[in-house]
């Protein structure tokens, strides 16, 4: 994914338009052991292909992952993802939940989140930047002319 590209959406007084989603999630250690922590989902209209998720454990520094917005959306409906990020829906304790598995350098961590809260927030991002329009307005000629220049 390319970074530092100008987005098609010009910032206004409230440049983002979507409030961050802060919620309690659970780290799944075993099926019977769940550790609560806070997570904050952020969407930046100037980088509309991704969602940033900051995990705030009780002990230790916060950790931020960037996850494809479409990957997160697809995971609401069915298992998706390969490699570092995998997402799938699941009924847990009688409630629709979202499982999120992250992997890096052979280490894996599994989280469980409230599916409906993530879904509602994610659809707010689609109201702001509709699917398929994430790259509308990008100056492709300038990007191709100077591919190594910091945009």
């Amino acid at each position: 994914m390319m970074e530092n590209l100008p987005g098609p959406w010009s910032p206004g007084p409230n440049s983002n338009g979507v409030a961050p989603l802060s919620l309690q999630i659970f780290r799944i250690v075993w099926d019977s052991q769940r550790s609560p922590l806070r997570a904050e989902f952020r969407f930046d209209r100037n980088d509309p292909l991704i969602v940033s998720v900051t995990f705030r454990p009780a002990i230790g520094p916060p950790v931020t992952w960037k996850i494809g917005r479409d990957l997160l959306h697809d995971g609401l409906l069915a298992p998706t993802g390969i490699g570092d990020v995998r997402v799938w829906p699941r009924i847990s304790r009688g409630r629709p939940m979202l499982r999120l598995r992250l992997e890096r350098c052979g280490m894996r961590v599994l989280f469980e989140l409230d599916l409906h809260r993530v879904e509602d927030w994610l659809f707010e991002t689609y109201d702001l930047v509709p699917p398929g329009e994430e790259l509308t307005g990008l100056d492709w000629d300038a990007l191709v002319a100077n591919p190594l220049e910091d945009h």
Side-chain angles (χ1 to χ4, degrees):
M1 179 181 315
M2 296 181 194
E3 295 189 29
N4 299 321
L5 296 178
W9 314 99
S10 61
N14 181 357
S15 65
N16 188 23
V18 176
L21 170 65
S22 180
L23 68 155
Q24 179 174 301
I25 66 171
F26 295 93
R27 178 174 177 223
I28 308 299
V29 181
W30 304 102
D31 278 338
S32 61
Q33 186 180 356
R34 302 157 42 96
S35 299
L37 69 146
R38 299 295 304 170
E40 185 173 86
F41 290 70
R42 290 187 171 273
F43 176 76
D44 181 348
R45 69 188 307 161
N46 293 310
D47 196 0
L49 294 172
I50 65 151
V51 168
S52 295
V53 184
T54 301
F55 300 94
R56 301 185 183 282
I59 299 173
V63 176
T64 299
W65 276 70
K66 293 185 177 187
I67 300 172
R69 184 171 70 151
D70 288 346
L71 178 83
L72 190 58
H73 172 267
D74 293 347
L76 296 171
L77 307 171
T80 189
I82 56 173
D84 295 350
V85 181
R86 296 181 187 201
V87 185
W88 65 96
R90 176 168 193 235
I91 299 296
S92 179
R93 300 179 180 189
R95 296 180 46 215
M97 302 298 280
L98 187 64
R99 286 270 171 113
L100 172 63
R101 191 185 93 179
L102 305 174
E103 182 175 346
R104 180 147 191 219
C105 299
M107 302 289 290
R108 292 181 186 149
V109 64
L110 179 63
F111 298 104
E112 191 169 76
L113 309 80
D114 183 307
L115 185 139
H116 289 305
R117 292 204 50 206
V118 173
E119 179 180 47
D120 290 346
W121 178 83
L122 193 59
F123 282 122
E124 286 182 40
T125 74
Y126 285 121
D127 288 341
L128 186 64
V129 181
E133 293 187 21
E134 293 90 351
L135 300 178
T136 300
L138 187 63
D139 186 349
W140 289 101
D141 292 333
L143 180 65
V144 172
N146 300 306
L148 300 178
E149 197 172 292
D150 187 18
H151 292 273

